[in-house]
Amino acid sequence: MTAPPPPWALLAELTHACPLHCGYCSNPLELTRRSRELTASQWEDVFRQAADLGVLHTHLSGGEPLLRNDLEAITRAAVRAGLHTQLVTSGTGLAEQRLDALVQEGLHSVQLSVQHADPDRSDELAGSRAFAAKRTAAGLVKERELPLGVNVVLHRHNLDAIDGLMELALSWQADRIELANTQFYGWGLLNRAALLPTREQLAVAEAAVERWRTRLNGRMEIVWVIPDYFSGTPKPCMGGWGAVSLTVTPDGTTLPCPAAAALPDLDPPSVLHRPLRWIWEESQAFNLYRGTAWMPSPCRACERRTDDFGGCRCQAFALTGDASNTDPACSLSPHHADLTALTTVPERRSAIVPRRPGALGVPSR
Ligand code: SF4
Ligand code: FES
C-alpha cells in the first residue's frame, strides 16, 4: 500500500471542560472526564510524533484549553517540536500574566471566540458572563503583537449582527475573522431546531459580508464558512477524510475529524496504544473514507468528487444513518429533498439546551 501524503495540521483537544455553555458546540454530547485527559508529557510525545509525520501547525483547543494548569508546558512542547502553535480560546482566563507565560513559551497566535457583537447577547448565548474577558484578552494579545483571529459561529440568534461583529473585530484589530455558519454536530445537532436560520437571514448576512469585503479590500481576512444545509453544495469537509489533518481528543483518541467519534463503524485508535504514523497511514479509521474508491453513486462518477470528496461523512451519518452516503447537502444526493424540507420550513424551537456535563445524563467530570 502506498503511504498517504502527510497531514499538515493537528487539532489538539486538550480538555472538554469549558466555562461557557454554547448550544452550538460541536463537542460530543458525552464529554471526556478530566481524569482521563492526556498529561503534558503525553502531549509532548504526540507533538514530537506529529512533527515527525510532517505536521506543521497545531491548534491547542478544547473545551477551554486555559483550564489546563499545565498549558504552558504543553505550549512549550508544541513549539519545541517545531509546530506553529495557535491557542483557540473563549478568552476567559487569558489574563496578562497567563498570556505572558504562554508568549514566553513561544505561542505564535490566538483565535478568540465571540458569540455576538452586543455584550449582553454574547453572554446570553455563551451562558456565561464572558464578554468583558474576551475584550480584555483581545487587547492583551494585540499589545503583544500576536496575530489575532476572531471566530463567530453563526445561527438564527446572531446572523443579523454581521455589521456589529465586523465593527467589533476591527476595533479589536483582528487580523482575521471567521464567520462560520453552524455545523450541526454534537450539541449543535441537538440544538438544530433552535439554531437553524431562515434563508432570508442568510441572504442578508451574506450580502453584508460581501459589502465588508469590498470596503476593507483585504485589510482584514474575512472567512465565510458556507451554510451547507442551504447551499445545495457540500463542503469539502476537512479537506478530505484523512487527507490534511487529524484530531487528538482529550483522552488520546485519534480521529480524522473532531466529530467522527459519533460514527458507529469507526474503530478509532488511541495515541496511548499506537504510533501516530501507524494511525495516519494504516488504521481502519483513517482509511475508511480516504480517496474516492469508497464512494457510492452519484459521487463515484461525479466530476466534483476530488474537489469536495463527497461532502461530510459525519453529516451523511447524522442525516441518513449511513456515513458512506453522499452528503445530503449536495443537490445530487437522493436524500437532498429531506434536507431541503428541513430548511424551507425551518424546524422551530427557541430554547437552546446549554452545553453542560450532566445536562443529558452525561457523566460529570
Ligand atoms: Fe460532490 Fe458527490 Fe455531490 Fe458530486 S455527487 S457534487 S462528488 S457530493
Ligand atoms: Fe466529520 Fe465532516 S465533520 S467528516
Side-chain angles (χ1 to χ4, degrees):
M1 185 173 72
T2 322
W8 63 266
L10 166 69
L11 177 66
E13 291 184 340
L14 303 183
T15 180
H16 277 159
C18 187
L20 270 54
H21 307 287
C22 312
Y24 56 73
C25 182
S26 60
N27 279 171
L29 299 185
E30 191 165 343
L31 300 166
T32 301
R33 291 166 187 270
R34 298 222 63 181
S35 57
R36 296 185 56 214
E37 291 172 0
L38 296 186
T39 63
S41 70
Q42 286 169 324
W43 277 112
E44 185 178 355
D45 185 41
V46 171
F47 295 137
R48 213 179 296 118
Q49 291 191 57
D52 283 350
L53 192 54
V55 169
L56 302 172
H57 189 120
T58 188
H59 290 94
L60 304 182
S61 179
E64 174 49 69
L66 287 160
L67 289 179
R68 293 278 310 227
N69 293 331
D70 51 2
L71 183 60
E72 290 77 358
I74 293 172
T75 303
R76 186 187 321 138
V79 172
R80 281 198 183 155
L83 304 178
H84 181 100
T85 304
Q86 181 175 68
L87 177 66
V88 181
T89 176
S90 66
T92 50
L94 195 58
E96 195 156 3
Q97 231 179 344
R98 193 90 206 265
L99 180 58
D100 283 337
L102 295 171
V103 172
Q104 183 83 27
E105 301 299 355
L107 182 71
H108 294 105
S109 60
V110 175
Q111 188 189 112
L112 196 58
S113 67
V114 65
Q115 283 69 30
H116 201 286
D118 175 77
D120 291 334
R121 296 284 292 123
S122 185
D123 287 350
E124 199 181 310
L125 289 166
S128 169
R129 297 202 70 77
F131 188 88
K134 291 172 187 291
R135 185 169 39 211
T136 304
L140 293 172
V141 170
K142 290 314 292 185
E143 272 171 28
R144 281 145 190 83
E145 299 183 354
L146 290 188
L148 173 67
V150 168
N151 177 279
V152 191
V153 176
L154 297 172
H155 43 75
R156 189 194 306 166
H157 307 280
N158 63 4
L159 261 166
D160 304 328
I162 297 291
D163 287 338
L165 287 162
M166 289 301 302
E167 276 154 18
L168 185 78
L170 277 175
S171 72
W172 287 359
Q173 300 172 60
D175 302 279
R176 178 179 197 269
I177 183 166
E178 185 171 312
L179 299 164
N181 283 285
T182 303
Q183 308 292 308
F184 296 102
Y185 312 112
W187 294 84
L189 183 61
L190 177 77
N191 279 312
R192 187 175 62 185
L195 296 171
L196 266 179
T198 62
R199 282 186 186 276
E200 294 68 33
Q201 268 188 307
L202 281 165
V204 172
E206 197 162 5
V209 170
E210 280 316 309
R211 271 199 313 279
W212 279 98
R213 283 204 172 115
T214 307
R215 181 165 155 193
L216 295 185
N217 193 23
R219 190 147 59 93
M220 178 167 64
E221 185 185 355
I222 305 173
V223 178
W224 169 256
V225 177
I226 59 162
D228 60 349
Y229 266 46
F230 294 81
S231 65
T233 316
K235 57 184 179 267
C237 198
M238 305 307 295
W241 184 270
V244 294
S245 75
L246 41 78
T247 297
V248 178
T249 70
D251 66 2
T253 304
T254 306
L255 298 165
C257 86
L263 303 185
D265 295 336
L266 212 64
D267 180 18
S270 167
V271 284
L272 296 177
H273 308 306
R274 291 286 196 168
L276 207 56
R277 181 174 295 280
W278 180 90
I279 291 175
W280 178 257
E281 294 179 353
E282 296 182 45
S283 69
Q284 175 261 12
F286 278 76
N287 281 296
L288 198 53
Y289 303 115
R290 191 173 250 154
T292 54
W294 61 273
M295 286 183 175
S297 176
C299 296
R300 190 179 303 144
C302 179
E303 59 185 21
R304 295 205 57 219
R305 68 189 183 282
T306 51
D307 298 330
D308 65 23
F309 321 107
C312 173
R313 297 307 90 227
C314 300
Q315 187 150 283
F317 174 71
L319 295 172
T320 74
D322 183 349
S324 69
N325 277 333
T326 295
D327 184 343
C330 176
S331 58
L332 302 175
S333 155
H335 297 93
H336 184 63
D338 300 341
L339 191 62
T340 311
L342 258 183
T343 55
T344 309
V345 184
E347 294 178 295
R348 286 289 174 198
R349 172 158 65 74
S350 53
I352 297 176
V353 178
R355 170 208 193 273
R356 284 181 207 284
L360 298 169
V362 175
S364 55
R365 288 155 291 162

